Amino acid sequence: MPVPALALLGLLQQPAQSPAAAPSPVARIVVSPSDPVVAAMDTLRLTGRALDAQGNEVPGVRVRFQQAGGWFEGAVDTTGLVRAGATGMLPVAAVAVVPGTRPFVERVGVRMVPSAAARVAVEGLPATLVVGQRVAPTATAYSAQADRREDRVRWTSSAPGVVSVRDGIVVAAAPGRAVLTAEAGSAKATVPVTVVATRVASVEVSPGTAPAAGWRTGDVLRFRAVAKDAQGRAIPGVTPTWSFSPGQGQIDPDGAFVGYEARPYTVTASLGDRSATAVVTLAARDVRRPATIVGRLPRERFNTEEVWLHPTEQVAYLGSGGGGDVMYAIDISNPAAPTVTDSIVSNTRRVNDVMTTKDGKHLVFTREGASDRRNGIVVASLEDPRHPKVLSEYTETVTAGVHSAFVYTQPKHGTHVYLTNDGTGALHVIDLNDPSKPKEVATWKTPRPDFAGDAGRSLHDIDVQDGLLYASYWNDGLVILDVGNGVKGGSPSNPVLVSQFKYDLNDMYRQVEAAGGPGFIRGTHTAWRHKNYVFIADEVFPSEGVKGAPANSAAGGRAYGRLQVIDVSDMQNPKSVAWYEPEMGGVHNVWVAGDTLYMGAYNGGFRAFDVSGELRGDLRAQAREMVHVHTADPAGRVKNTPMTWGVVVRDGLAYVNDMYNGLWIVRMEPSKAPKPKVMQ
Amino acid sequence: MSARGPLAPALALALCAAAGPAAAQEYTVLVASEATDQIAVVRFGPRLGAGGTPAAKVETSRTVGLNPMDPDGPHGLAFAPDGRSYFVSTAHGAPYGSLWRFDAATGETLGRVELGLFPATLQVSPDGAAAYVVNFNLHGEMVPSSVSVVGLATSAGGGEELVEIARIPTCAMPHGSRLTADGSRHYSACMMDDLLVEIDTRTLAVSRHFLLTKGKEQGMPGAPMVRRGAHAGHDMGGHGMDAPKAGETVCSPTWAQPTPDGRSVYVACNKTSEIVEVDAATWALKRRIAAGDGVYNLAITRDAKLLVATNKRGRSVSVFDAASGKELARIPTLRRVVHGVAVSPDDRYAFVSVEGVGSEPGTLEVIDLATRQRVASADVGQMAGGVDVIAAARP
């Protein structure tokens, strides 16, 4: 950055024993433009004039601009040149320095908005309509960077006598063809529409075949509607407008309905002046069940971090943090009495992640906070799983620290460790085919504008399945790479981008900013592929806790966060279809076994919920939660406070690690739910 | 870590005068623990222990940082000259670190400003008008970094706010910085460029730089040339912990300490285990002083008689006669990885932070500069680094 000019001269020229600097003559800084707005991937020049209390310009003052937040999204240099790398708010401090006086600062916020509309996406507009049918499609404008815009989209019809659009409502007036155009700026989408001459005489609605046990809350019912003419013949290609009442739930334009309450719902399909209804009654999902704490291994010396199980032996491995330099090996052959059999003490102050190779012969754990600042990973031999021995380490390119590591073996490529780099936000791939000599074979990181450097890039966690790597890339969302699957020709030494799922973190967690102020912590934290879904969970903390709360108390603050269910059946176009937010907690690490998702929910304790079948909407509202254990301990490292980290599941037991309260071994008992009421 | 500015001795003397004999003076020491996000508030008194013996006691520990899950890494620490507030640099970030200001009595946060990559050593100017913080830039590409200058501004709403008023480019891995007693010049060392850099605080620009490599010592005007890519990558010798190779000539400077009269600058050469004295007037090498293994941080008494050096690899603290360069004492430390040192305002004690290794606690060790012996210690959070001291007010 350039050295400040003469405006700063003399700031420190006063004698050393002079009193504190005099008040600034500046009473106000007028920044132009007054309401600064810049498009993402564009620049804006800010200028400032320093005025005194009478509104006169103070001579000889240069206003210096300084970024005061929003580092992930953009930058401003001292001359006031704003570079927007993403949408959001860029807080800027305009500073005026008059020699011998205190600096004067005025805050401005630069709104970074999506760039010009580059495309318009239309959803919910059937290609075939019947006379009298009214539908309300959505038309959304997106920028070239795929940022959603707030444009009011303008609709026109090539044949208003056939199909007209008013206030976003499409009305089919007469048989014929028309092309509807949705425009935002210079972007537009065209949709050909046919209005069939056949009059709808009747509509029939059915929810599909009910399962033997009947429909339950959270089940996705695929309603179908059949329109018939006066002769009772089906009219092909027409799509009704769906609605339901009463109660809470969700119905999508394709007729997929999910109800949240155990009650009757009336689902209606409308086609022009005809409609039909079907009544479905949902029973309570009744998946809630009791839990038993089978065993515990309290840890009070350090925070407890990652837990991992040996693939074949009854041995668990447990990391430590908050200054912890130890990884424990624990005999869990008697889950009621887990026993430490050995440990590895390393030059680290955090063992955040632990994982074994698939064959159970080796183990990798991460290091952060080494006294010589050479962090990285440690590779241990598991010749005797109860007594791991250090075999090698890899530090060279990841001295800044490694937060997460994922060990993955592919027949074609052998075993590799996929690492996060704390310093640069890059993915590093380490060849572990010779565990005694780990070597780096590739690095990869999300692209950013040159001016941003590594700013805002943070890789937090990694999951690999079927040769596809799911990277939780904080501000950059979920990133899917081919590291051997072949879909993009990737390999461990040549990771290739498959797709990316970004979402508006600031908008999603507006209430966190409202509670604790701007600059809060939020980002895509973890990912887990399961069937055609990827579960992604965010780590979210307010920038300030509750004022006046006692230190280290549960009153001081809480985690927030949402788990999203991303449908990746179309891998190129990941789509969020469902979500879950625990009560009073966050969403940290997850584990999926069978049709159950297990979660460490920070303040929210250990939770498990049912992810069977198709997933849509709010999973908590659907009463899919099965188990909750509040992992607090009056004798914990932090007393009476859960901070549940994650879980590993095997043989019906959940091995739950809590940062403040050590290891918990929990069994989910059979359901004791009351028999469902008989619905009439 | 900072030596007190001219106002501080006055404050200390006033307190001493009010309290009686100097020997009974007590001190408030702050120690930053990078691994645990803790600031330990330690009280030391020569009669605080049982039976009137010297003792250091941790009065409280304060948490600093934004992220409750990941370390923010408090590194540099300095009292304001009036002792009413203190500043802490948090080095870790995503990716940028911050400078924080706290109320010394209550620990309440008074302000925060984001700075560059890995803000580390810091000092407040003698007039209290500005804080100087080196942006160490520990991770990533070895490119020239900077020194941030932070002032306390009046905000449009009438409150106070920390603002960065300058960011001065210097060289790769700036570290160990100190101001002259009159606040007119600021010195920092660049570990990866083997340079001592002088900033003129009147112009807030680099005025001179000095090459410290043994046999190639040379003073030069202006700012160093940008040598992008000419550094040794991530090999920084285990951050001062690796033994140098035989015949090593690279200084790898980790601290710059001007003398109270501003005529000389001492530089700790961590690799060659020497202290280089540079003549500030002629900007030429004055002498090389053999030092302890891995000499790391420096502090000098206000009477300019004693130079105190931490020996990072040597697990000890050295006390030198500044005039002759003679090592008067080498005091072993209780734990490994010796880090910072601050001298009490009355020149009586040196307070040394020791990082420890792994789960070892950090340590504050107190050395009596009259007897040159350790007289007290206290365990603090792990990876203890930044340290500063003021005379404590009487209870």
Side-chain angles (χ1 to χ4, degrees):
Chain A
M1 288 192 185
V3 174
L6 296 175
L8 293 173
L9 280 175
L11 172 68
L12 300 168
Q13 283 179 313
Q14 310 143 66
Q17 306 236 9
S18 67
S24 175
V26 179
R28 189 161 64 100
I29 299 174
V30 177
V31 175
S32 296
S34 59
D35 181 18
V37 179
V38 60
M41 303 299 171
D42 203 349
T43 60
L44 172 73
R45 172 69 68 181
L46 298 176
T47 59
R49 291 192 307 132
L51 306 180
D52 64 18
Q54 287 70 46
N56 302 313
E57 190 155 349
V58 180
V61 177
R62 178 183 146 198
V63 175
R64 182 184 192 274
F65 293 91
Q66 179 189 340
Q67 197 156 337
W71 294 102
F72 295 159
E73 288 83 33
V76 61
D77 69 14
T78 56
T79 69
L81 183 64
V82 175
R83 297 174 172 90
T87 61
M89 178 67 79
L90 187 75
V92 173
V95 182
V97 180
V98 176
T101 71
R102 269 193 166 197
F104 182 88
V105 60
E106 184 108 28
R107 294 262 186 172
V108 294
V110 180
R111 283 189 297 133
M112 299 179 295
V113 300
S115 58
R119 71 181 173 94
V120 175
V122 176
E123 292 181 349
L125 179 56
T128 303
L129 300 173
V130 298
V131 173
Q133 188 172 359
R134 301 162 69 88
V135 295
T138 59
T140 309
Y142 292 91
S143 71
Q145 292 78 38
D147 292 318
R148 180 180 171 145
R149 291 177 53 88
E150 299 296 326
D151 300 81
R152 180 167 183 164
V153 175
R154 188 165 59 89
W155 286 93
T156 55
S157 170
S158 64
V162 176
V163 180
S164 64
V165 188
R166 178 174 294 177
D167 297 331
I169 306 295
V170 173
V171 180
R177 294 175 184 274
V179 174
L180 299 185
T181 302
E183 291 182 88
S186 60
K188 63 182 179 183
T190 57
V191 184
V193 174
T194 300
V195 180
V196 295
T198 311
R199 292 278 176 177
V200 175
S202 64
V203 179
E204 295 173 3
V205 172
S206 69
T209 306
W215 299 112
R216 298 179 301 164
T217 59
D219 288 347
V220 177
L221 285 67
R222 294 240 164 225
F223 277 90
R224 289 190 302 275
V226 177
K228 294 183 176 177
D229 62 17
Q231 287 72 45
R233 294 173 300 204
I235 305 171
V238 295
T239 305
T241 300
W242 295 98
S243 61
F244 71 89
S245 71
Q248 301 295 313
Q250 173 177 309
I251 192 162
D252 294 332
D254 61 358
F257 167 75
V258 58
Y260 298 168
E261 300 167 72
R263 58 166 303 135
Y265 284 88
T266 299
V267 175
T268 302
S270 300
L271 272 167
D273 58 358
R274 295 286 185 268
S275 65
T277 61
V279 176
V280 290
T281 299
L282 306 185
R285 196 162 188 86
D286 278 342
V287 293
R288 178 70 67 174
R289 58 190 60 198
T292 300
I293 296 163
V294 176
R296 283 200 55 204
L297 183 69
R299 299 283 89 185
E300 295 169 12
R301 188 167 165 232
F302 304 114
N303 285 345
T304 293
E305 309 235 335
E306 184 70 299
V307 62
W308 189 259
L309 303 186
H310 190 278
T312 56
E313 299 288 327
Q314 295 299 312
V315 180
Y317 303 99
L318 195 65
S320 62
D325 62 350
V326 60
M327 187 215 66
Y328 300 100
I330 302 161
D331 186 328
I332 52 171
S333 54
N334 178 6
T339 306
V340 174
T341 55
D342 208 340
S343 64
I344 293 177
V345 174
S346 184
N347 186 357
T348 182
R349 291 177 173 103
R350 190 176 201 189
V351 180
N352 180 74
D353 205 356
V354 184
M355 191 172 178
T356 60
T357 53
K358 192 176 179 181
D359 61 10
K361 291 182 177 175
H362 297 95
L363 171 148
V364 172
F365 69 81
T366 59
R367 302 196 314 169
E368 294 172 289
S371 61
D372 59 2
R373 297 191 184 274
R374 283 206 180 98
N375 292 290
I377 57 168
V378 173
V379 182
S381 165
L382 298 180
E383 195 170 326
D384 179 348
R386 287 165 179 77
H387 300 281
K389 303 295 181 196
V390 173
L391 181 65
S392 63
E393 60 180 38
Y394 180 82
T395 64
E396 190 178 354
T397 57
V398 284
T399 55
V402 175
H403 195 68
S404 298
F406 196 94
V407 186
Y408 187 68
T409 301
Q410 302 178 77
K412 185 177 177 182
H413 302 290
T415 301
H416 293 81
V417 190
Y418 300 84
L419 306 179
T420 65
N421 185 328
D422 287 0
T424 64
L427 163 75
H428 292 245
V429 186
I430 311 300
D431 186 328
L432 204 65
N433 287 303
D434 180 353
S436 64
K437 294 177 183 170
K439 62 178 180 183
E440 182 173 289
V441 294
T443 63
W444 189 93
K445 51 188 178 183
T446 48
R448 304 198 72 74
D450 286 345
F451 66 78
D454 289 331
R457 184 192 296 110
S458 180
L459 173 58
H460 206 279
D461 204 5
I462 293 164
D463 178 46
V464 190
Q465 292 190 43
D466 298 326
L468 292 171
L469 185 147
Y470 301 89
S472 300
Y473 240 116
W474 209 255
N475 297 290
D476 291 321
L478 171 68
V479 172
I480 305 175
L481 301 175
D482 180 358
V483 293
N485 175 278
V487 65
K488 289 283 184 179
S491 68
S493 58
N494 179 35
V496 179
L497 178 67
V498 176
S499 60
Q500 182 175 12
F501 176 74
K502 281 178 73 174
Y503 47 103
D504 191 338
L505 287 155
N506 291 314
D507 186 57
M508 187 171 285
Y509 299 113
R510 297 169 71 91
Q511 81 277 19
V512 183
E513 182 168 353
F520 63 101
I521 292 159
R522 83 290 179 277
T524 310
H525 171 274
T526 198
W528 183 292
R529 173 73 188 262
H530 175 67
K531 297 180 180 173
N532 278 334
Y533 297 126
V534 179
F535 297 99
I536 60 172
D538 298 341
E539 183 162 73
V540 185
F541 288 98
S543 62
E544 268 189 57
V546 176
K547 288 185 173 63
N552 288 333
S553 73
R558 56 161 293 192
Y560 296 81
R562 170 174 286 199
L563 174 135
Q564 292 184 79
V565 184
I566 311 301
D567 186 338
V568 290
S569 49
D570 176 0
M571 188 65 75
Q572 297 295 328
N573 296 291
K575 183 179 179 184
S576 181
V577 294
W579 72 93
Y580 170 84
E581 289 186 10
E583 293 170 275
M584 181 53 200
V587 286
H588 195 225
N589 289 347
V590 301
W591 186 277
V592 180
D595 282 328
T596 305
L597 187 146
Y598 304 82
M599 173 188 286
Y602 277 150
N603 320 86
F606 164 61
R607 294 174 186 266
F609 54 96
D610 169 18
V611 291
S612 61
E614 187 177 358
L615 302 176
R616 294 264 176 131
D618 183 346
L619 303 182
R620 178 158 69 95
Q622 298 162 14
R624 282 177 173 266
E625 190 167 286
M626 302 168 76
V627 155
H628 174 217
V629 176
H630 203 62
T631 53
D633 185 341
R637 179 167 161 83
V638 178
K639 298 186 190 332
N640 290 316
T641 304
M643 191 55 81
T644 320
W645 172 281
V647 56
V648 178
V649 177
R650 185 198 290 168
D651 300 334
L653 293 177
Y655 296 80
V656 181
N657 51 331
D658 183 294
M659 288 185 73
Y660 299 159
N661 302 294
L663 181 67
W664 300 58
I665 303 175
V666 178
R667 183 172 61 230
M668 288 169 53
E669 304 290 0
S671 173
K672 292 182 178 175
K675 289 183 179 176
K677 290 184 293 185
V678 176
M679 296 290 186
Q680 301 298 325
Chain B
M1 236 185 294
S2 68
R4 310 266 12 102
L7 289 181
L11 176 66
L13 289 172
L15 287 166
C16 291
Q25 176 62 55
E26 294 187 357
Y27 306 87
T28 297
V29 189
L30 300 180
V31 189
S33 291
E34 190 174 326
T36 57
D37 287 353
Q38 297 292 312
I39 306 298
V41 181
V42 185
R43 193 172 183 96
F44 168 74
R47 298 176 191 168
L48 197 60
T53 56
K57 295 181 178 176
V58 177
E59 289 192 323
T60 187
S61 187
R62 296 168 178 161
T63 301
V64 59
L66 287 172
N67 192 332
M69 291 298 117
D70 300 323
D72 288 62
H75 190 104
L77 185 151
F79 277 107
D82 63 6
R84 290 178 184 152
S85 63
Y86 63 90
F87 294 78
V88 176
S89 64
T90 48
H92 307 186
Y96 301 107
S98 298
L99 178 71
W100 302 66
R101 179 174 176 243
F102 298 99
D103 183 295
T106 66
E108 180 189 356
T109 302
L110 300 177
R112 180 177 74 89
V113 60
E114 284 176 303
L115 300 180
L117 293 160
F118 211 99
T121 318
L122 80 93
Q123 189 181 10
V124 183
S125 62
D127 62 1
Y132 290 74
V133 189
V134 297
N135 294 305
F136 184 46
N137 192 8
L138 177 59
H139 308 301
E141 193 182 354
M142 286 298 105
V143 295
S145 191
S146 55
V147 174
S148 286
V149 185
V150 175
L152 192 61
T154 302
S155 71
E160 288 184 330
E161 196 171 317
L162 290 179
V163 295
E164 184 184 50
I165 54 179
R167 188 176 295 187
I168 306 162
T170 56
C171 37
M173 280 195 174
H175 198 266
S177 60
R178 282 292 171 262
L179 289 151
T180 52
D182 65 1
S184 65
R185 283 166 290 152
H186 175 273
Y187 294 97
S188 59
C190 287
M191 278 183 76
M192 297 303 285
D193 279 329
D194 240 21
L195 291 176
L196 167 68
V197 173
E198 179 190 74
I199 290 171
D200 183 335
T201 60
R202 283 169 273 238
T203 61
L204 295 180
V206 174
S207 48
R208 298 184 293 184
H209 62 286
F210 189 97
L211 182 61
L212 295 156
T213 310
K214 202 170 193 173
K216 298 179 181 175
E217 297 90 343
Q218 187 181 0
M220 290 163 273
M225 287 176 58
V226 174
R227 298 190 302 148
R228 186 179 285 268
H231 314 285
H234 289 265
D235 179 13
M236 53 188 156
H239 197 74
M241 286 302 290
D242 285 358
K245 60 181 185 287
E248 181 65 83
T249 60
V250 171
C251 166
S252 193
T254 51
W255 200 265
Q257 177 64 61
T259 53
D261 60 9
R263 292 181 180 172
S264 286
V265 185
Y266 294 108
V267 181
C269 285
N270 174 267
K271 268 197 175 172
T272 58
S273 298
E274 293 173 306
I275 297 171
V276 168
E277 184 177 356
V278 176
D279 187 309
T282 63
W283 205 231
L285 176 70
K286 231 174 171 177
R287 59 177 167 166
R288 284 180 173 270
I289 302 168
D293 190 11
V295 60
Y296 193 59
N297 283 11
L298 303 173
I300 193 164
T301 53
R302 279 150 193 79
D303 62 8
K305 290 181 177 173
L306 299 178
L307 180 65
V308 187
T310 60
N311 302 319
K312 191 167 187 178
R313 294 191 295 272
R315 197 172 175 170
S316 59
V317 178
S318 295
V319 180
F320 293 90
D321 176 83
S324 66
K326 182 184 176 187
E327 187 174 1
L328 302 174
R330 187 174 294 186
I331 304 113
T333 56
L334 295 168
R335 292 198 172 94
R336 295 168 285 178
V337 193
V338 191
H339 192 117
V341 56
V343 173
S344 62
D346 56 6
D347 284 346
R348 179 65 193 274
Y349 298 98
F351 297 86
V352 175
S353 62
V354 186
E355 295 185 19
V357 173
S359 61
E360 286 178 1
T363 319
L364 174 71
E365 303 194 12
V366 187
I367 293 167
D368 185 331
L369 291 176
T371 63
R372 289 158 206 154
Q373 291 186 334
R374 181 179 58 249
V375 293
S377 70
D379 284 355
V380 295
Q382 291 150 272
M383 215 172 185
V387 57
D388 204 0
V389 55
I390 57 171
R394 291 276 162 190

